[in-house]
Amino acid sequence: METPSVISLSKLLDEQEEKELIPALRDALQRASQQLDKDFREGRSAGDLLRARAALIDDLLRHAWGKMKLPSTQIALIAVGGYGRGELHPHSDIDLLILRAGDNEADNSRLENFLTLLWDLGLQIGHSVRSVDECITVAQDDITVLTNLIEARLLLGQQALLDAVAQGTQDTQMWPPETFFRAKLTEQEARHAKFGDTEYSLEPNVKGSPGGLRDLQLIGWLAQRHFGWRSAAELTDNQFLTEAEATTIIHGQEFLWRVRYALHMITRREEDRLLFDHQRELAKIWGFVDGDKLAVEQFMQLYYRWALALSQLNEVLMLSFDQAVLQAGTPDVVVDINSWFELRNGYISAKRDSIFEEFPGALLEVFLHAGNNPQALGIAAETIRLIRENRHRIDDEFRRNTQHKQMFIEVLRSNNRLTRQLRRMSRYGILGRYLPAYGKIVGQMQHDLFHSYTVDAHTLQVIENIRRFLKPENDERFPVTSRVARRLPKIELLYIAGLFHDIGKGRGGDHSELGAVDARNFCEEHGLGRRDTNLVEWLVRNHLFMSAVSQRKDISDPDVVQEFAQHVGDQHRLDYLFALTVADINGTNPKLWNAWRGSLLRQLYTESKRALRRGLENPVDKQEWIQETREAAAKLLEYRGFTDGELTTLWQERGEDYFLRERAEDIAWHTEAIAGHQDRNHPLVLVRNGVESSVANTTQIFIYARFDIGAFSRSCSRLEQLNLSIHDARIYHGRDGMSLDTYYVLDSSGESVDDVDRLRHITSYLSDKLSPETNTNSIPSRLTPRRVRSFQLDTETTMRVDPAREVSVLEVISLDRPGLLARIGEVFVEFGVICEAAKIQTLGERVEDVFFVTDLQRQPILDAALAERIQLSIRNKLDAQEAA
């Protein structure tokens, strides 16, 4: 590949001698930047471009220094940080240190003019002006300053000043090797935590995330500070890196440099975040096109694989530096494990380099020891290298070996640190070699806001969640799931189901079906019995079923529960499916799981358990259910002074559906308030917080008002203006012209509203805004959030008739945006559609909402042409909003 053009500042300026200095320099910078960007798009090395830009800025600073007539003695202009390394991205900060031996007022004025000139040119300057002693003092107190000085480079002035700083900050004077290493390691751990301790975040930071450029810089700082080594070649020569690892670092750094350069180039600012809209642009630059996978998913899989590879090298080198720095001079503590391994200073170490060649099965056995030996802190750096160098030995013959199969099952049965071992197996490439289908999902992202992790990271997170259910410290967060998981007879079957539940993604087709086939093959090949194999296969095939029923169907309906229980079949399957479902939702997106979703799953689990105990051949009698609910509500109201006659009068306008779907305590709450409400022309609004609500963990809003076909749209608008998100809506139209509407809402943060003052405000606001005088519709006009705007999703709708409930079921999948429910409500008004109930589900950037609707005669919408016109209007209205 050609070397990029040399950017000559003097040549650029000679052509414009007639211009003033600032316009001339600004024009020269612009033309140089255009040339470098052109070189980048033509595929020139990013490293060469960064060095060319740094050299250009060197020349510019020297030129400006001379123009300001600054002295060359008693002062030094120093490049520090990334600029000191000679690497400068298009919009990176230019970090400068000005060292002075004395204080001269004339020089002060010239320095101010020099820095003002640089700012006027639009350069991002970070600078400090210090004496040698001041610089040493600050470095003593601040390791970040010291780190910048490690890469200091003289641009102009006296070398002796920089030499004095170097002498005063060497490790014999401050920050000795052990202290420096621990501090930088702690710094890295804090940085990784800031970015979720994963290479696989949805919008990673190419500089700061695990596996990013900062991890490589840390290696350089430690090597230079302690050993004086400045290159990967020197690390290789001194056996801290293998040649293959050095090559990985060189190519990985070039890849990350290109990504960061591209981000700066397309955003025209310092931008290190791979935001969704930037990911699509970079996929085009890299030449990816949509196919079986989206172009953006292909690009991000490439990014994640490089980030993982560099993160692995960072891990190995940190372990090596730990041994070289922290353990230097101390005798090794060695504990024998078996003929293959020993515990050396707390880390499992291979006794000889040929171990995996002699016994390939040790590639699995090492993780079994790491998981079952409570004294093991981890695996030694050299042994990690041997594992990675020998993973190719896991081939078809290896996978057919009965002993190896048994060993893998034993890893899954480990009592201690199972998840950590599976993560190590994944990081070192062992899991992907042993399970080739797993290897295909490594680094595979799903370009949406719903899935926070790549498929492989999510899979391991699900298994970690299952492990959490078994630990007492998680009982408060998962009270029911923990009890259920602990009584599962074979927890390893749940691990296997978790390992395979998403393994079919990215292949086209239904991933649940593809994964079920893989799971069955695995179980049969690993000697699991027929019953266990059938269970694992069924779990993988149905792992989305319980979540879908709880969030998309009306689980207060006994028929829905009966249908679900029949599909599950027995308590054994129900327990396993419940635990897998909770683990899966929690492992998909940390923000997705909330108390509301948990309460839905617990309700479905509990009601299904009762149905199974009662016997599937003995479904609930609806009339009996209704009568029991009425009697329970009447008993509660008896203590509040109501007579049977009064209740008969108050309830005569209520349909059976009301007593079938509502709980006795809610009916009593509604009834008592309605009895005391005299002005039916004004709405009655009741609000209960999550503690008081009979439906756990939600804020419950009850509105009693005259029936109005536009009420649903207006209520949705008002609730959104209150920063509340609707998750469930139940609407009952009485024969007396009144409507009883219940909305289950959460704050936009996903929590119920418990603040008393805010609850009062909600009550008064809705009472006022839904009254006849002020009940005009006002759809929220807030902007769609940036992350959501990064996606394009055409609205999809379906409508079918549910003959059992005598309603039409409308499903809407669309991009989440302000005012969505209110706009759908406007379509209902336009076509004379009554919303009887709604189930609202937000999944990242999209919504999957279900509406149970009828016509004005309270009948299902049977006219197919009308149903299609309603759906077309919804699609057009929502997609037109997004286009606007």
Side-chain angles (χ1 to χ4, degrees):
M1 186 173 290
E2 298 179 47
T3 302
S5 305
V6 174
I7 307 297
S8 171
L9 180 70
S10 59
K11 182 179 179 182
L12 291 170
L13 290 175
D14 287 345
E15 296 171 359
Q16 305 174 64
E17 289 178 342
E18 73 282 2
K19 293 188 176 182
E20 293 181 4
L21 179 62
I22 290 177
L25 286 174
R26 187 182 292 128
D27 183 71
L29 278 173
Q30 183 179 1
R31 289 198 288 157
S33 295
Q34 290 171 347
Q35 178 61 51
L36 292 170
D37 289 352
K38 180 175 178 290
D39 289 343
F40 176 83
R41 291 186 181 278
E42 290 176 354
R44 306 292 173 84
S45 161
D48 287 343
L49 297 176
L50 303 188
R51 286 184 284 274
R53 181 170 178 80
L56 172 71
I57 298 300
D58 288 354
D59 288 346
L60 184 148
L61 294 176
R62 292 180 182 121
H63 187 83
W65 188 274
K67 289 290 184 181
M68 295 298 106
K69 296 183 170 50
L70 281 157
S72 57
T73 60
Q74 301 298 300
I75 197 168
L77 181 64
I78 313 294
V80 294
Y83 179 41
R85 290 193 300 273
E87 304 162 7
L88 200 56
H89 282 81
H91 296 281
S92 289
D93 287 348
I94 300 167
D95 292 327
L96 299 173
L97 168 64
I98 299 172
L99 285 175
R100 302 184 60 182
D103 190 9
N104 182 296
E105 285 191 18
D107 288 349
N108 290 342
S109 177
R110 294 189 187 104
L111 276 176
E112 288 181 10
N113 291 337
F114 170 73
L115 293 170
T116 300
L117 169 64
L118 300 182
W119 290 323
D120 287 343
L121 291 173
L123 298 176
Q124 303 298 315
I125 300 296
H127 79 283
S128 57
V129 181
R130 297 185 178 120
S131 68
V132 170
D133 289 342
E134 287 172 340
C135 198
I136 292 172
T137 299
V138 174
Q140 175 73 60
D141 297 332
D142 189 341
I143 195 171
T144 302
V145 173
L146 177 67
T147 305
N148 277 337
L149 290 172
I150 289 175
E151 299 165 320
R153 178 169 59 91
L154 181 70
L155 296 174
L156 283 165
Q158 281 191 292
Q159 178 69 45
L161 294 174
L162 181 57
D163 291 342
V165 170
Q167 178 67 29
T169 57
Q170 62 183 336
D171 58 13
T172 57
Q173 304 292 326
M174 65 173 67
W175 295 98
E178 298 85 355
T179 308
F180 184 81
F181 177 77
R182 291 186 195 279
K184 299 310 288 186
L185 199 58
T186 300
E187 195 177 84
Q188 175 173 273
E189 289 169 355
R191 174 170 48 81
H192 285 182
K194 178 182 176 182
F195 294 105
D197 277 317
T198 178
E199 300 85 2
Y200 293 148
S201 58
L202 280 173
E203 295 179 317
N205 187 298
V206 70
K207 184 177 179 181
S209 289
L213 284 167
R214 189 65 86 198
D215 282 4
L216 295 181
Q217 291 162 7
L218 175 61
I219 293 169
W221 295 331
L222 293 173
Q224 190 172 337
R225 176 73 174 171
H226 188 63
F227 302 105
W229 303 333
R230 292 178 173 267
S231 67
E234 288 181 283
L235 283 165
T236 304
D237 292 343
N238 289 278
Q239 299 182 342
F240 272 79
L241 281 176
T242 66
E243 290 188 6
E245 289 170 340
T247 300
T248 297
I249 284 182
I250 291 168
H251 290 300
Q253 181 172 250
E254 170 67 17
F255 173 79
L256 293 180
W257 273 343
R258 287 191 67 78
V259 172
R260 192 175 185 221
Y261 191 105
L263 284 172
H264 284 213
M265 183 177 69
I266 65 176
T267 61
R268 300 184 182 278
R269 64 177 185 272
E270 183 173 19
E271 178 60 86
D272 299 327
R273 300 168 300 166
L274 264 170
L275 304 179
F276 287 116
D277 45 349
H278 304 336
Q279 291 172 16
R280 283 197 293 270
E281 285 294 316
L282 266 62
K284 291 178 184 176
I285 292 173
W286 259 256
F288 289 111
V289 295
D290 292 345
D292 291 338
K293 295 180 183 177
L294 295 175
V296 65
E297 293 178 349
Q298 297 173 59
F299 170 76
M300 290 306 296
Q301 187 163 27
L302 175 64
Y303 172 85
Y304 288 134
R305 293 198 171 195
W306 270 118
L308 180 62
L310 295 174
S311 187
Q312 289 175 359
L313 281 177
N314 175 271
E315 176 190 7
V316 169
L317 282 167
M318 290 306 102
L319 287 171
S320 298
F321 286 147
D322 180 289
Q323 184 173 350
V325 177
L326 299 185
Q327 300 179 37
T330 60
D332 289 343
V333 177
V334 180
V335 178
D336 190 65
I337 295 177
N338 60 15
S339 56
W340 307 113
F341 299 106
E342 62 190 10
L343 200 64
R344 182 176 293 274
N345 300 325
Y347 290 87
I348 294 177
S349 180
K351 289 185 173 179
R352 51 189 177 278
D353 292 350
S354 61
I355 178 175
F356 299 116
E357 181 180 356
E358 299 171 36
F359 176 45
L363 288 166
L364 294 177
E365 184 181 319
V366 64
F367 298 101
L368 195 58
H369 291 308
N372 288 334
N373 190 329
Q375 295 178 310
L377 301 174
I379 300 174
E382 283 305 316
T383 304
I384 293 173
R385 284 196 175 94
L386 291 174
I387 291 170
R388 295 173 61 219
E389 290 168 2
N390 286 274
R391 59 192 174 194
H392 67 278
R393 301 185 188 281
I394 302 179
D395 51 17
D396 288 341
E397 182 180 352
F398 183 102
R399 288 185 283 267
R400 286 193 294 267
N401 186 293
T402 303
Q403 185 179 359
H404 299 164
K405 292 177 182 178
Q406 183 60 36
M407 203 177 303
F408 186 79
I409 294 295
E410 287 303 315
V411 170
L412 294 180
R413 288 173 176 156
S414 299
N415 291 324
N416 302 307
R417 295 178 289 186
L418 167 64
T419 310
R420 188 178 303 176
Q421 302 323 311
L422 288 177
R423 290 189 192 280
R424 284 174 175 151
M425 292 174 74
S426 181
R427 287 175 67 82
Y428 306 156
I430 299 301
L431 195 56
R433 296 285 303 188
Y434 188 76
L435 300 174
Y438 180 89
K440 293 177 182 177
I441 62 172
V442 171
Q444 180 180 316
M445 74 168 295
Q446 295 166 88
H447 190 60
D448 57 37
L449 290 174
F450 178 56
H451 298 89
S452 286
Y453 309 103
T454 56
V455 182
D456 56 319
H458 162 71
T459 297
L460 297 180
Q461 187 63 49
V462 169
I463 295 175
E464 181 173 342
N465 289 339
I466 295 169
R467 297 287 290 179
R468 286 175 178 166
F469 299 154
L470 307 180
K471 298 177 180 178
E473 58 265 29
N474 294 297
D475 286 357
E476 184 175 349
R477 188 179 182 198
F478 304 107
V480 179
T481 316
S482 294
R483 284 192 293 274
V484 170
R486 285 180 194 139
R487 64 173 178 255
L488 296 178
K490 296 181 180 179
I491 193 69
E492 67 270 19
L493 300 182
L494 196 58
Y495 298 146
I496 296 171
L499 195 56
F500 281 90
H501 80 288
D502 274 355
I503 210 166
K505 285 190 171 179
R507 294 192 237 162
D510 186 338
H511 78 277
S512 299
E513 293 293 333
L514 294 170
V517 173
D518 288 346
R520 170 166 283 279
N521 291 337
F522 174 89
C523 292
E524 290 177 345
E525 291 168 0
H526 286 75
L528 273 69
R530 180 180 300 177
R531 184 171 182 236
D532 291 346
T533 297
N534 290 341
L535 173 62
V536 172
E537 179 188 18
W538 183 86
L539 286 170
V540 173
R541 180 173 284 113
N542 291 277
H543 72 273
L544 298 174
F545 184 62
M546 190 171 192
S547 175
V549 171
S550 69
Q551 296 174 52
R552 298 171 66 83
K553 295 191 176 184
D554 184 2
I555 57 176
S556 63
D557 186 338
D559 288 344
V560 171
V561 175
Q562 180 73 11
E563 182 182 345
F564 174 78
Q566 286 176 333
H567 182 85
V568 173
D570 59 48
Q571 183 67 45
H572 187 64
R573 281 184 171 181
L574 178 63
D575 287 346
Y576 274 95
L577 181 61
F578 177 62
L580 179 61
T581 302
V582 176
D584 189 19
I585 294 176
N586 277 274
T588 299
N589 186 324
K591 297 180 181 178
L592 181 65
W593 179 262
N594 55 35
W596 164 249
R597 293 183 191 274
S599 68
L600 291 179
L601 284 172
R602 287 196 300 273
Q603 181 182 346
L604 180 57
Y605 173 80
T606 303
E607 296 298 338
S608 301
K609 186 176 178 181
R610 289 173 182 165
L612 292 168
R613 187 185 300 125
R614 186 172 56 245
L616 296 175
E617 70 283 359
N618 299 310
V620 171
D621 181 274
K622 286 193 174 184
Q623 291 304 317
E624 182 180 328
W625 182 294
I626 291 169
Q627 186 58 36
E628 286 180 358
T629 301
R630 288 175 67 105
E631 290 174 358
K635 188 172 183 179
L636 290 171
L637 289 165
E638 181 182 358
Y639 290 101
R640 300 173 193 175
F642 285 84
T643 66
D644 290 342
E646 287 173 317
L647 294 179
T648 299
T649 302
L650 286 166
W651 288 348
Q652 64 183 351
E653 305 298 338
R654 308 286 165 258
E656 289 186 343
D657 204 31
Y658 177 68
F659 294 97
L660 186 66
R661 298 170 62 203
E662 294 300 316
R663 302 178 186 225
E665 53 266 44
D666 286 333
I667 292 171
W669 181 46
H670 300 163
T671 302
E672 186 175 14
I674 290 171
H677 185 64
Q678 304 302 321
D679 186 359
R680 290 194 170 193
N681 290 320
H682 284 79
L684 165 67
V685 178
L686 305 175
V687 181
R688 294 206 296 196
N689 64 21
V691 176
E692 297 172 322
S693 174
S694 60
V695 179
N697 309 306
T698 60
T699 300
Q700 200 171 345
I701 298 176
F702 173 71
I703 302 171
Y704 176 68
R706 288 202 177 278
F707 169 68
D708 175 357
I709 195 171
F712 175 74
S713 178
R714 287 194 301 275
S715 296
C716 292
S717 293
R718 300 308 185 193
L719 290 169
E720 186 168 344
Q721 286 164 354
L722 287 165
N723 206 28
L724 299 172
S725 60
I726 300 170
H727 288 260
D728 198 356
R730 300 177 187 177
I731 301 169
Y732 308 98
H733 306 299
R735 291 185 288 270
D736 57 355
M738 302 299 288
S739 178
L740 289 77
D741 304 346
T742 298
Y743 295 94
Y744 296 95
V745 303
L746 296 174
D747 184 81
S748 58
S749 64
E751 302 294 330
S752 62
V753 179
D754 294 325
D755 180 76
V756 174
D757 290 337
R758 189 175 178 197
L759 292 171
R760 288 198 191 102
H761 173 67
I762 292 170
T763 304
S764 62
Y765 179 87
L766 293 176
S767 298
D768 174 51
K769 296 300 183 183
L770 297 178
S771 65
E773 297 82 6
T774 57
N775 68 353
T776 55
N777 203 6
S778 176
I779 294 178
S781 57
R782 296 197 310 274
L783 292 175
T784 303
R786 188 270 308 167
R787 295 183 96 190
V788 175
R789 291 199 309 271
S790 300
F791 295 88
Q792 295 178 342
L793 178 65
D794 293 336
T795 300
E796 300 175 19
T797 62
T798 61
M799 188 181 285
R800 60 181 173 81
V801 174
D802 182 347
R805 294 190 57 183
E806 297 183 331
V807 296
S808 290
V809 181
L810 168 67
E811 298 190 41
V812 178
I813 299 175
S814 187
L815 202 64
D816 188 22
R817 71 206 78 183
L820 180 141
L821 291 176
R823 286 180 167 84
I824 293 174
E826 286 185 331
V827 175
F828 291 167
V829 174
E830 178 185 351
F831 287 91
V833 172
I834 298 175
C835 181
E836 306 282 356
K839 299 281 285 187
I840 311 302
Q841 181 177 209
T842 303
L843 304 171
E845 78 285 354
R846 74 182 193 276
V847 295
E848 295 185 3
D849 297 344
V850 182
F851 303 90
F852 303 89
V853 299
T854 63
D855 59 20
L856 291 175
Q857 285 71 47
R858 311 295 298 282
Q859 296 299 312
I861 299 168
L862 301 175
D863 185 334
L866 175 60
E868 179 52 40
R869 288 200 303 274
I870 293 169
Q871 294 177 75
L872 179 61
S873 181
I874 290 173
R875 293 195 296 267
N876 289 340
K877 186 177 282 285
L878 296 184
D879 290 343
Q881 177 195 357
E882 187 58 29

